[in-house]
Amino acid sequence: MNMNPAITQDYPAIEYTIWPADLHGHRFHVKLRIQNPDPAGQVLQMASWIPGSYLIRDFSKHIETIAAYSSHKPQQSIALERINNDQWRLPRVTGPVEILTTIYAFDSSVRAAYLDTERAFFNATSLCLIVQGQENIPCALVLVPPKTADAEFWSVQTTLRSVKIDRQGFGFYLAENVDDLIDHPIAMGQFQVVEWKSQGISHSMAIQGCVHPVQHKRLAEDLEAICSSTIALFEPKSKRAPFNRYLFLVNAVISGYGGLEHRNSTALLCRRDQIPQTEMALEEKAYQEFLGLCSHEYFHAWLVKRIQPKAFQPYHLDRRNHTRLLWLFEGFTSYYDDLQLFRSKRIDLKTYLSIVTDHWNAILRNPGRNKQSLADSSFDAWTKYYQADENTPNSVVSYYGKGALLALGLDLQIRNFTKGRKSLDDLMRLIWQEHGLTMNGIEEHGLDSLISDLLGMGFQKIWSEFKTRYIFGTADLPLEKWFNPRFIKVDSKLLTKLEMVKLSFGVRYTDEKGWLKLTHVLDGGLAQAAGLAPGDLIASINGQRVTGSRWDKLLGSLTMNQDLIICFYRQDLEHERMAPLNIHQTPKQYQLSTV
C-alpha cells in the first residue's frame, strides 16, 4: 500500500509519518509535513508534559537529530532556529515543508515512548512536534511497519480513527486536532487480545509481555462486569457509554505498576504475575490490584477525560497547568475504583472493607497529612507529589489516598443527611450531566452550586465545614463517626507488639547489599529523635547485627521503654546514638467489619 499518499485539497494540512526505524538502538524516525507553514516563520513546539501525569518531562531531550526541507527542493535543507530547549522556528518560506527527527525511545512507562525488538509504544506527545497556531486543525498520522525480521508479525493497537490501513493496522489515520492525536496511545508488536461487550459496547484488552497464554474467559468476565457497572453508574437509565469502542493496552513486566487515562483507551503497566495465565499460579490479591487499576483508568473516561477542570481547557503542554481539584479527579476516582470491584461482585464486602481499612491506616501513618491540605496537594502536584524525595511522607498528603477517604466521607455524609435517599452516586451523575456531556469544565469552586442543587440549602453548613476542615484544612476525616453503626463496625486496631515497635521507630528502608538503608525517617519517630537520617546504614541495635531479613525479628525482641544503642554509618563514618523505646506516640489505626 502507499504509505505516503499525495497531498490533495481534502487532505489534512499537517501529516506525521512515524517509522520504528532502529529497533536495536531504540529510535523512531518522524517526518512532519506542513502544507501551509506560517510565512512569518513557523514555530514548532515539543510537548513538555502529557495530560494525566503532572510533571514537566521535557520530551524534547530525546530528540537526537532534527532537520527541515522544502517539499519543492527535498535535497536542500532549511535552517532551523533553536529558540528554546523545546522550540524551533522555520525561516520565512513559501510552500510545504518537511521536518525530519530522530527520537530515542526507551521509557517503558505509560507516559512516553519505547522501542525494542519486542514491542513499540508511544504517546504522540513524545514523538510529534506541535505546529504552533495550527493545533486545532485536522492532522494525519501514517504508521510505517519496521523493515526487520524481528517485527515480521507485528500489528498495531490503537483507538485513533483509521482511514486506510492494512490487515496489521499499519497505514493512514486521522485526528481531529492535536488534542485528539495525543489522546490515543499506539502500541505495536504481538498481542494476546481479550474481547467482550459491556452494555453493548465493544471492549478489548491487548496484552504484551505475558509468557503463557492468558485466561481469556476469566479476564473477559471480570472486565465486562466492572465496565458495565461503571457505565450504569453514570447512565443508569440509558446504559450508554460516551464512546463506541474502548481499548486497554497492557504491558506486563517483571516489576512495575501504573496507568494513564485517555478518552477511549488506557495504557497500563503491571507485573506479569498479576494477570491470570494458564499453567501459572495466580495470587488473587495481586490480580485484584490489577482489576483495581483497570477500574481506576476506566472511570477516568468520564472523570478527567470528559468531566475536566476548567484549568485544563485547553491543555497548555509547554507549561504547568495548575488546579486545586485533583482531590476530586484522582481522589474520587480512587474511591470508586475499589467500590466498583465490590459492586460488580469481583470482591466481597469483607475484602472491600479490608482495602478501605488499609488505605485509611496508611494515610494516618504519614505525618505530611498534618501539614498539607488536599487543595494544596493538588496545586503542588507538579513539584511535590510527582517529584517525591526522602522528606515527602513528612510534608505531602496524597490527593489520591486522602482524596479517596474524602469521597468516602462525603458519601457517608450525604447518605446520613438524606437518610439513605441520595448518595455520592447522585452527585457524580449530576456532575456528568452538567460538565461531562457538555464538556464545560468545572471551576475551582464549581462543586458548591452542584451540591446545593442536589441537596438543598440545608446541607450547606455541612459542606462548608467539610471544605474548610478536610479540603482546605489538614484535619483528619472522622470516618469512625460517620459510618452507620447498624451496618459497619469501626474498632481501633489491636496492634501487635511488633507493629507498635515498628510504628514507633518511624522509618522506611530498603535492603542494599546486605545493609538496611533508611529511605525515609518520619517526623515524631524514635529514629528521628535519635538523629538518624535518610541514607544512613544501620549496622546494629544493642549489639545485634541489623539486616533487612532480620529487622522484624530484632525489633520483636526489644522490650518497652528499653534504652536502645543504635550503631549506623553515614557517608562511611561510624556513629552511635542512644534512645529510649517509647510507644505512646504511635498513630491511631482502625479496622472495619460488618455488623
Side-chain angles (χ1 to χ4, degrees):
M1 64 178 292
N2 183 4
M3 291 298 179
N4 189 19
I7 298 288
T8 69
Q9 194 171 20
D10 298 326
Y11 194 81
I14 296 174
E15 174 193 343
Y16 300 92
T17 303
I18 296 178
W19 294 268
D22 182 0
L23 278 60
H24 294 269
H26 321 294
R27 295 177 178 91
F28 285 97
H29 289 173
V30 182
K31 180 174 72 175
L32 164 60
R33 180 184 173 97
I34 309 171
Q35 178 72 6
N36 303 304
D38 185 345
Q42 180 65 62
V43 175
L44 307 171
Q45 172 88 47
M46 196 68 163
S48 294
W49 64 285
I50 182 170
S53 184
Y54 309 109
L55 177 67
I56 297 297
R57 299 185 184 276
D58 289 320
F59 294 121
S60 61
K61 66 187 176 184
H62 296 301
I63 296 178
E64 292 187 342
T65 65
I66 181 168
Y69 302 87
S70 168
S71 293
H72 298 317
K73 298 179 180 180
Q75 304 304 318
Q76 182 177 335
S77 65
I78 301 173
L80 272 173
E81 178 189 1
R82 189 76 177 267
I83 57 177
N84 207 329
N85 69 293
D86 55 2
Q87 287 183 321
W88 294 259
R89 181 187 287 117
L90 286 165
R92 296 174 181 268
V93 294
T94 58
V97 297
E98 295 180 350
I99 295 91
L100 302 179
T101 52
T102 301
I103 301 176
Y104 179 74
F106 203 57
D107 184 335
S108 61
S109 76
V110 296
R111 300 175 293 265
Y114 182 90
L115 178 63
D116 69 5
T117 57
E118 301 298 321
R119 60 184 289 269
F121 172 85
F122 68 86
N123 295 281
T125 42
S126 295
L127 299 185
C128 297
L129 290 163
I130 297 169
V131 183
Q132 284 197 356
Q134 301 190 43
E135 298 94 337
N136 294 321
I137 66 174
C139 50
L141 176 68
V142 179
L143 296 178
V144 180
K147 299 186 184 304
T148 67
D150 292 325
E152 182 181 355
F153 300 104
W154 280 23
S155 61
V156 176
Q157 289 285 343
T158 184
T159 53
L160 190 62
R161 178 189 164 199
S162 62
V163 176
K164 186 177 182 182
I165 59 175
D166 62 19
R167 291 182 179 179
Q168 293 169 285
F170 293 99
F172 181 57
Y173 293 81
L174 275 180
E176 295 177 3
N177 48 39
V178 166
D179 280 348
D180 187 32
L181 179 69
I182 69 174
D183 217 5
H184 297 273
I186 294 174
M188 307 177 195
Q190 297 186 56
F191 302 89
Q192 296 191 62
V193 179
V194 180
E195 297 178 323
W196 69 95
K197 285 193 175 183
S198 287
Q199 307 293 4
I201 299 297
S202 295
H203 291 64
S204 59
M205 175 174 281
I207 303 170
Q208 293 177 296
C210 285
V211 178
H212 303 287
V214 301
Q215 295 180 18
H216 285 69
K217 183 178 179 181
R218 182 173 186 183
L219 280 166
E221 288 178 353
D222 290 340
L223 292 165
E224 186 281 325
I226 294 166
C227 296
S228 291
S229 178
T230 302
I231 295 171
L233 168 66
F234 286 99
E235 293 283 358
K237 293 182 180 179
S238 70
K239 305 293 196 301
R240 184 170 55 245
F243 39 75
N244 296 320
R245 176 196 171 201
Y246 194 90
L247 171 65
F248 294 85
L249 289 171
V250 180
N251 180 27
V253 295
I254 189 168
S255 178
Y257 185 82
L260 189 64
E261 68 273 7
H262 298 276
R263 285 175 64 84
N264 303 338
S265 63
T266 181
L268 306 177
L269 181 71
C270 69
R271 301 194 316 273
R272 292 188 187 99
D273 61 9
Q274 291 183 290
I275 297 179
Q277 302 170 62
T278 60
E279 304 176 12
M280 183 175 173
L282 178 68
E283 183 186 349
E284 291 299 323
K285 185 175 181 180
Y287 179 49
Q288 288 167 10
E289 290 175 352
F290 173 69
L291 291 179
L293 177 64
C294 295
S295 177
H296 183 100
E297 302 304 335
Y298 190 70
F299 199 89
H300 274 322
W302 288 262
L303 188 64
V304 168
K305 298 314 299 181
R306 289 169 175 85
I307 305 168
Q308 295 184 321
K310 196 73 171 180
F312 289 175
Q313 294 182 334
Y315 290 114
H316 297 287
L317 298 178
D318 61 337
R319 56 189 179 273
R320 296 168 183 151
N321 295 198
H322 290 284
T323 175
R324 289 183 170 84
L325 291 176
L326 293 183
W327 54 265
L328 165 62
F329 289 93
E330 292 294 352
F332 280 38
T333 301
S334 296
Y335 170 57
Y336 273 103
D337 58 21
D338 293 320
L339 184 58
Q340 291 301 94
L341 296 190
F342 169 64
R343 287 175 166 174
S344 61
K345 299 181 180 180
R346 301 308 100 185
I347 58 175
D348 58 22
L349 182 57
K350 181 179 178 181
T351 302
Y352 174 67
L353 292 179
S354 176
I355 291 172
V356 173
T357 303
D358 288 345
H359 289 169
W360 187 10
N361 289 336
I363 293 297
L364 292 174
R365 290 195 295 269
N366 271 9
R369 77 186 197 284
N370 298 315
K371 300 177 185 177
Q372 188 187 49
S373 70
L374 279 174
D376 286 341
S377 175
S378 300
F379 193 88
D380 294 337
W382 299 85
T383 54
K384 291 190 175 182
Y385 187 83
Y386 270 88
Q387 297 192 64
D389 58 24
E390 71 281 352
N391 194 49
T392 292
N394 292 325
S395 61
V396 172
V397 68
S398 168
Y399 52 78
Y400 285 88
K402 190 175 180 181
L405 297 182
L406 184 89
L408 170 60
L410 184 57
D411 198 357
L412 295 173
Q413 289 281 63
I414 293 173
R415 292 172 187 270
N416 292 338
F417 178 77
T418 63
K419 295 181 172 54
R421 291 189 298 273
K422 292 187 183 298
S423 70
L424 191 65
D425 293 350
D426 295 286
L427 179 60
M428 297 309 299
R429 285 190 279 267
L430 180 58
I431 296 172
W432 171 242
Q433 294 297 319
E434 296 293 324
H435 294 281
L437 292 176
T438 64
M439 288 295 292
N440 179 25
I442 298 180
E443 300 283 359
E444 294 296 287
H445 295 279
L447 278 192
D448 294 356
S449 60
L450 293 170
I451 287 177
S452 178
D453 291 344
L454 179 68
L455 301 170
M457 294 303 295
F459 194 75
Q460 287 306 297
K461 183 178 180 181
I462 296 174
W463 173 239
S464 178
E465 180 182 359
F466 199 87
K467 284 176 59 180
T468 300
R469 291 178 58 81
Y470 312 121
I471 297 176
F472 292 94
T474 59
D476 288 332
L477 288 141
L479 298 176
E480 68 278 11
K481 298 178 182 178
W482 295 343
F483 277 107
N484 190 327
R486 290 163 35 196
F487 305 108
I488 302 296
K489 184 180 179 184
V490 184
D491 294 304
S492 294
K493 184 178 180 180
L494 297 176
L495 300 174
T496 65
K497 173 191 165 186
L498 175 60
E499 288 173 327
M500 287 189 289
V501 171
K502 292 178 78 169
L503 285 175
S504 300
F505 221 89
V507 297
R508 294 170 188 173
Y509 64 89
T510 186
D511 197 319
E512 184 170 295
K513 298 179 181 179
W515 291 90
L516 188 141
K517 181 179 181 178
L518 300 185
T519 57
H520 303 86
V521 176
L522 304 184
D523 285 346
L526 181 154
Q528 190 182 73
L532 294 170
D536 288 349
L537 304 174
I538 300 184
S540 66
I541 296 179
N542 289 357
Q544 296 188 65
R545 170 73 195 280
V546 173
T547 64
S549 60
R550 298 189 68 246
W551 181 243
D552 285 4
K553 183 177 181 180
L554 192 155
L555 293 188
S557 70
L558 302 177
T559 57
M560 304 306 173
N561 300 313
Q562 176 184 6
D563 285 338
L564 304 182
I565 300 173
I566 305 171
C567 178
F568 62 96
Y569 287 86
R570 182 180 299 167
Q571 298 294 329
D572 287 341
L573 296 179
E574 185 179 35
H575 300 265
E576 190 173 276
R577 297 284 189 274
M578 179 180 289
L581 178 58
N582 191 324
I583 65 166
H584 72 276
Q585 294 184 358
T586 56
K588 192 157 189 178
Q589 301 282 273
Y590 293 94
Q591 62 184 26
L592 302 175
S593 59
T594 55
V595 174

